[in-house]
Amino acid sequence: GFRIRMRHPPHLLLCSALALCTGSRAFASASWGAAGRRLGARALHAAGVDGGIRGGAGGEKEPLQLLLVRHGESEANKARIFVSWIDSPLTARGRKEASLSGEALKAAGLCADSVFTSMLARAETTAQLMVEACGQDQVEETKRDWRLNERMVGCLVGLTMEEALERFGNDSVRLWRTSVDVRPDPIDEASENFPGNDPTYSFLPRDALPRTECLEDVRKR
């Protein structure tokens, strides 16, 4: 996820790892629409912004715009793998998508001075490529936060769609993918895909790392 203020009136850009990065395109998977909007509201609050308004020069209020954008295509996306917190890099197509999104921002006259992203490389790389495509050498602030990571889909992590359907059945997979409040079965903590076995998250207590999540869990974190 990312937060961004832009050049004209300041704007805010929030992108999640599930599919949120910087850019003019607001595309997240349909089931994440409401969750993404709630995450955006939380980011505004954390940034000290009340109701999308921020103080400007002389004390006047300046409007903020929140942009929700999906990261570019990753290698796991291409292989139809439930990627979740696996740190899958962008494909060549994904890098191109990010650059084109940045060019679209530039064409719209929007340049970020603050970015918030998840800790997943596909989201960070998307943000970097977009900022570069905007013609910016740097931004005022870039912050990574694990709470903007994609949903932990438990027992589905690392499986292809075909493998998941064969193992758990169509009804269960569909329910886990689309329900707001039903979690998949938890991931095995011995799995290499469990975040507790990734040094990236060693700064967090093991109990704080999710084993599985529904969309409502993601909204809360």
Side-chain angles (χ1 to χ4, degrees), residues 16-144:
S16 139
L18 195 192
L20 306 167
C21 273
T22 61
S24 61
R25 297 185 297 175
F27 57 102
S29 60
S31 62
W32 271 72
R37 286 192 292 274
R38 294 188 187 104
L39 284 170
R42 286 173 179 266
L44 284 166
H45 178 73
V49 179
D50 182 15
I53 300 296
R54 185 182 197 130
E60 71 275 12
K61 298 294 184 180
E62 296 180 292
L64 284 155
Q65 181 179 355
L66 176 67
L67 304 179
L68 302 178
V69 186
R70 191 182 193 276
H71 63 72
E73 180 190 66
S74 71
E75 294 289 351
N77 295 149
K78 185 176 180 180
R80 300 189 72 207
I81 290 172
F82 286 95
V83 60
S84 194
W85 286 34
I86 297 175
D87 214 1
S88 179
L90 297 181
T91 61
R93 175 181 175 179
R95 296 179 69 87
K96 182 64 174 179
E97 289 171 342
S99 294
L100 288 173
S101 294
E103 291 171 10
L105 274 183
K106 184 177 182 180
L110 303 176
C111 284
D113 56 34
S114 190
V115 178
F116 288 77
T117 175
S118 76
M119 295 185 67
L120 298 170
R122 56 189 177 275
E124 294 184 87
T125 302
T126 300
Q128 178 185 358
L129 291 172
M130 292 183 68
V131 169
E132 290 174 357
C134 279
Q136 294 181 257
D137 294 329
Q138 60 184 11
V139 293
E140 225 174 74
E141 178 184 21
T142 299
K143 183 176 180 180
R144 302 163 74 234

Side-chain angles (χ1 to χ4, degrees), residues 127-179:
Q128 178 185 358
L129 291 172
M130 292 183 68
V131 169
E132 290 174 357
C134 279
Q136 294 181 257
D137 294 329
Q138 60 184 11
V139 293
E140 225 174 74
E141 178 184 21
T142 299
K143 183 176 180 180
R144 302 163 74 234
D145 196 313
W146 70 275
R147 289 168 296 182
L148 292 173
N149 279 16
E150 293 194 27
R151 177 164 70 115
M152 168 50 66
V153 292
C155 61
L156 297 175
V157 179
L159 299 180
T160 65
M161 177 64 74
E162 291 74 19
E163 290 170 336
L165 291 173
E166 182 178 350
R167 186 174 303 184
F168 302 108
N170 183 69
D171 290 345
S172 291
V173 172
R174 177 176 294 185
L175 177 65
W176 291 338
R177 293 184 68 202
T178 61
S179 174

